[in-house]
Amino acid sequence: MSNIKLDITKAACFLEAGAVKAFEPTVKAAQEALENGTCPGNDFLGWLHLPTEITPAFLDEIEATAKVLRDNCEAVVVAGIGGSYLGARAVIEALSNSFGWLIQGQKNPTILFAGNNIGEDYLFELTEYLKTKKFGVINISKSGTTTETALTFRLLKKQCEAQRGKEEARKVIVAVTDAKRGAARTCADKEGYKSFIIPDNVGGRFSVLTPVGLLPIACAGFDIKQLVAGAQDMEKACAQDVPFDENPAAQYAALRNGLYQAGKKIEIMVNYQPKLHYFSEWWKQLYGESEGKDKKGIFPASVDFTTDLHSMGQWIQDGERTIFETVISIEEPEQKLLFPEDEENLDGLNFLAGKRVDEVNKMAELGTRLAHVDGGVPNIRISVPKLNAYYIGQLIYFFEKACGISGNVLGVNPFNQPGVEAYKKNMFALLEKPGYEADTKAIKERLAKEA
């Protein structure tokens, strides 16, 4: 059973009585379409039962490869973009010491992320940093030709070979790619890299529980078996045969669509734990890329509170009432820190002396929730007992399952992303890539007219 609690009372109250329950038949139909493989995008449903299909032997293989990298590298660079890095980064950042990169003598390598932008300064500074490090690379790309990742991998492969020699480099470069096709597969086979397969039926944004996410997370030293165990328990809690009123994924999907129909077009993911920043980034891709099509879809945004209460708080409190919030609340922090007394009390905060810092944070959370609800912002609250691998696994599967249901209720294909290709076509035409000659000519004529 799931230990994560979903509280929709402060959001459902903004809808007519019974509005969430009214979605039950539609949600059940969406769940059945997922289970039966009759929904749009049914060739990308491999994530649906992925947690319970993962074997201990498979996780042992992931961990063995991660150990090779940990034993031979001071740094491991994860080269990937979108779903090929966000899930791994979300989990690693959530579970890491906030200042781990400053800790001397740490037993696990520093995990770095690249291949997710084309910033020349970023890549130059990365390669400069790596000049004094024994580093390895996890190249994550189904095709091997995604521009950002392929460009970065070429740079890192050359540098790793130059610093360590080709034979040693082969031991610390791992490919996570297609089983048979693509440039990355060809390269891995030619060079003899250890490789893992990205399942054909799992899209990037749903791939965190495949080697795409599991290998980097294991390299960082975190318990992928607990991560998967959490996802397995949430898979059971969100199963089709769980009653609608007890199924968190069904409830969340129904409420989101009810709020959307009521004019709430923006969902803001809120956290009060800085370590969840990249979890929100992963969530934004999951829902934005799944639902934003056919001129439909809730716009996913995120804020880190209390930090962003001093920047975005005004707009959320008093701005256009087209928003609702989903708050992830961590019940118990990992550490304990008491607020000290000060003799002079110049800041007037002695009334907090002796209290845990987290108590202050929790009261800020409750006070903000009350203020936002009073200001007309529906609030969904997801309560998580602790920030550990098990509960992160639960959160991952919960949001994935709810996303699949919600997209089907919305009436879109939640598993494709046709809009992503538009910018690539223009970029390749502008760079005069072979095969794009007609597009190059057309875009140059267009730009000349607009000049």
Side-chain angles (χ1 to χ4, degrees), residues 79-80 84 139-146 149-150 175-178 184-185 198:
S84 293
N139 185 39
I140 305 175
S141 177
K142 188 169 278 192
S143 67
T145 57
T146 301
T149 305
V176 182
T177 188
D178 190 87
R185 167 51 58 194
I198 303 173

Side-chain angles (χ1 to χ4, degrees), residues 230-374:
Q232 289 171 343
D233 285 347
M234 185 57 78
E235 182 183 332
K236 295 170 188 172
C238 297
Q240 184 182 354
D241 60 357
V242 174
F244 176 77
D245 293 336
E246 301 171 19
N247 188 318
Q251 290 278 297
Y252 181 58
L255 178 58
R256 294 178 76 252
N257 278 276
L259 290 169
Y260 180 63
Q261 290 182 10
K264 305 301 183 183
K265 306 295 186 182
I266 301 166
E267 180 175 10
I268 303 175
M269 175 64 68
V270 178
N271 73 78
Y272 286 80
Q273 166 54 273
K275 292 183 179 187
L276 287 174
H277 174 84
Y278 272 94
F279 190 87
S280 295
E281 295 299 303
W282 169 79
W283 172 86
K284 283 194 289 189
Q285 188 204 2
L286 178 66
Y287 279 83
E289 205 167 62
S290 295
E291 293 188 327
K293 54 200 69 164
D294 301 338
K295 311 305 178 191
K296 299 178 183 177
I298 297 167
F299 182 81
S302 65
V303 289
D304 301 324
F305 286 169
T306 61
T307 303
D308 290 337
L309 284 171
H310 298 263
S311 57
M312 291 298 294
Q314 172 61 43
W315 192 94
I316 295 170
Q317 185 71 43
D318 288 337
E320 188 176 53
R321 302 294 78 181
T322 53
I323 60 172
F324 67 98
E325 290 177 308
T326 296
V327 180
I328 298 180
S329 180
I330 307 301
E331 292 178 13
E332 183 67 24
E334 190 68 25
Q335 308 299 335
K336 184 176 182 179
L337 184 65
L338 299 180
F339 196 79
E341 177 130 3
D342 183 82
E343 287 184 10
E344 296 187 19
N345 195 30
L346 295 176
D347 54 18
L349 295 180
N350 270 354
F351 72 98
L352 297 176
K355 294 183 183 294
R356 289 186 66 177
V357 171
D358 189 60
E359 184 180 347
V360 181
N361 197 32
K362 289 293 195 299
M363 292 306 99
E365 177 187 327
L366 178 57
T368 302
R369 189 183 192 204
L370 292 171
H372 287 180
V373 169
D374 289 345

Side-chain angles (χ1 to χ4, degrees), residues 408-436:
N408 275 301
V409 171
L410 184 63
V412 300
N413 177 352
F415 309 116
N416 66 356
Q417 52 279 340
V420 174
E421 301 305 315
Y423 91 89
K424 294 180 183 179
K425 178 182 174 183
N426 288 342
M427 179 178 71
F428 290 146
L430 290 164
L431 289 169
E432 300 184 17
K433 182 178 180 178
Y436 283 77

Side-chain angles (χ1 to χ4, degrees), residues 32-351:
E32 288 174 6
L34 287 171
E35 289 293 341
N36 299 334
T38 56
C39 63
N42 54 17
D43 49 343
F44 282 96
L45 293 174
W47 58 272
L48 191 58
H49 298 297
L50 182 61
T52 51
E53 292 169 355
I54 293 174
T55 65
F58 174 72
L59 293 177
D60 287 342
E61 184 184 4
I62 294 274
E63 289 181 333
T65 301
K67 186 176 187 304
V68 171
L69 290 167
R70 288 202 309 273
D71 290 348
N72 292 279
C73 300
E74 298 169 89
V76 174
V77 185
V78 179
I81 195 168
S84 293
Y85 98 101
L86 277 171
R89 188 163 194 177
V91 177
I92 291 169
E93 297 271 354
L95 301 179
S96 291
N97 183 301
S98 302
F99 304 97
W101 57 283
L102 287 173
I103 297 173
Q104 298 298 316
Q106 59 177 341
K107 62 180 179 178
N108 296 311
T110 300
I111 308 297
L112 304 169
F113 295 90
N116 50 67
N117 63 63
I118 318 176
E120 187 166 359
D121 287 344
Y122 182 88
L123 290 171
F124 176 83
E125 290 159 8
L126 173 66
T127 54
E128 284 292 301
Y129 171 80
L130 293 172
K131 282 181 179 179
T132 60
K133 298 287 186 290
K134 293 175 68 175
F135 75 93
V137 184
I138 302 174
N139 185 39
I140 305 175
S141 177
K142 188 169 278 192
S143 67
T145 57
T146 301
T147 305
E148 295 89 344
T149 305
L151 186 156
T152 298
F153 179 65
R154 183 184 288 200
L155 285 170
L156 295 174
K157 177 178 181 291
K158 295 285 185 185
Q159 183 172 353
C160 190
E161 290 173 348
Q163 290 177 210
R164 306 187 72 147
K166 245 191 165 181
E167 285 303 313
E168 190 179 344
R170 284 193 182 102
K171 298 176 184 177
V172 293
I173 298 177
V174 180
V176 182
T177 188
D178 190 87
K180 299 176 181 178
R181 303 179 299 275
R185 167 51 58 194
T186 300
C187 177
D189 291 345
K190 177 176 174 291
E191 299 289 352
Y193 298 149
K194 172 68 177 176
S195 66
F196 291 92
I197 294 168
I198 303 173
D200 282 338
N201 61 354
V202 179
R205 57 190 176 274
F206 290 86
S207 69
V208 63
L209 297 174
T210 74
V212 168
L214 294 177
L215 180 58
I217 293 165
C219 281
F222 297 116
D223 192 338
I224 57 173
K225 289 178 179 175
Q226 277 297 297
L227 185 80
V228 171
Q232 289 171 343
D233 285 347
M234 185 57 78
E235 182 183 332
K236 295 170 188 172
C238 297
Q240 184 182 354
D241 60 357
V242 174
F244 176 77
D245 293 336
E246 301 171 19
N247 188 318
Q251 290 278 297
Y252 181 58
L255 178 58
R256 294 178 76 252
N257 278 276
L259 290 169
Y260 180 63
Q261 290 182 10
K264 305 301 183 183
K265 306 295 186 182
I266 301 166
E267 180 175 10
I268 303 175
M269 175 64 68
V270 178
N271 73 78
Y272 286 80
Q273 166 54 273
K275 292 183 179 187
L276 287 174
H277 174 84
Y278 272 94
F279 190 87
S280 295
E281 295 299 303
W282 169 79
W283 172 86
K284 283 194 289 189
Q285 188 204 2
L286 178 66
Y287 279 83
E289 205 167 62
S290 295
E291 293 188 327
K293 54 200 69 164
D294 301 338
K295 311 305 178 191
K296 299 178 183 177
I298 297 167
F299 182 81
S302 65
V303 289
D304 301 324
F305 286 169
T306 61
T307 303
D308 290 337
L309 284 171
H310 298 263
S311 57
M312 291 298 294
Q314 172 61 43
W315 192 94
I316 295 170
Q317 185 71 43
D318 288 337
E320 188 176 53
R321 302 294 78 181
T322 53
I323 60 172
F324 67 98
E325 290 177 308
T326 296
V327 180
I328 298 180
S329 180
I330 307 301
E331 292 178 13
E332 183 67 24
E334 190 68 25
Q335 308 299 335
K336 184 176 182 179
L337 184 65
L338 299 180
F339 196 79
E341 177 130 3
D342 183 82
E343 287 184 10
E344 296 187 19
N345 195 30
L346 295 176
D347 54 18
L349 295 180
N350 270 354
F351 72 98

